[in-house]
């Protein structure tokens, strides 16, 4: 398979499950398709998906939306 920017994915956020859900909704509100990795296991057994249970949940998006998403996430984090 040929990797093109519209087929590549990138992790734009790692953190607590509740905060990841807020970021997911923020991105969805700005028409950026995102997926949450480790949502369930990050909630019940975070130490099994990341070392020490630190930042167990990831938000994954399409590479082409990376700059817009990072800008939105930085704005969100500075406001919270």
């Amino acid at each position: 398979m040929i990797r093109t920017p519209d087929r590549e994915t990138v992790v734009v956020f790692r953190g607590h499950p509740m905060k990841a859900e807020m970021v997911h909704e923020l991105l969805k509100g700005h028409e950026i398709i995102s997926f949450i990795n480790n949502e369930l296991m990050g909630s019940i057994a975070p130490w099994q998906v990341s070392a020490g249970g630190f930042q167990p949940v990831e938000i994954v998006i399409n590479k082409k939306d990376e700059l817009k998403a990072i800008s939105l996430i930085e704005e969100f984090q500075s406001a919270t």
Side-chain angles (χ1 to χ4, degrees):
M1 178 168 91
I2 299 172
R3 287 208 173 264
T4 59
D6 62 323
R7 292 186 181 171
E8 281 187 64
T9 59
V10 61
V11 175
V12 290
F13 178 83
R14 287 184 176 91
H16 186 271
M18 189 175 293
K19 202 164 202 177
E21 186 63 40
M22 289 189 282
V23 170
H24 175 66
E25 290 298 320
L26 171 71
L27 296 176
K28 186 171 31 171
H30 286 86
E31 300 179 354
I32 297 174
I33 297 171
S34 62
F35 299 95
I36 302 176
N37 279 343
N38 304 324
E39 183 175 21
L40 181 60
M41 288 304 292
S43 297
I44 27 183
W47 59 89
Q48 290 187 352
V49 293
S50 69
F54 184 70
Q55 298 182 337
V57 181
E58 299 176 334
I59 300 289
V60 180
I61 64 164
N62 194 306
K63 178 101 171 127
K64 69 181 176 76
D65 296 323
E66 182 178 20
L67 295 177
K68 182 178 178 183
I70 288 173
S71 174
L72 290 167
I73 292 168
E74 286 174 351
E75 187 176 324
F76 166 77
Q77 288 181 327
S78 69
T80 57

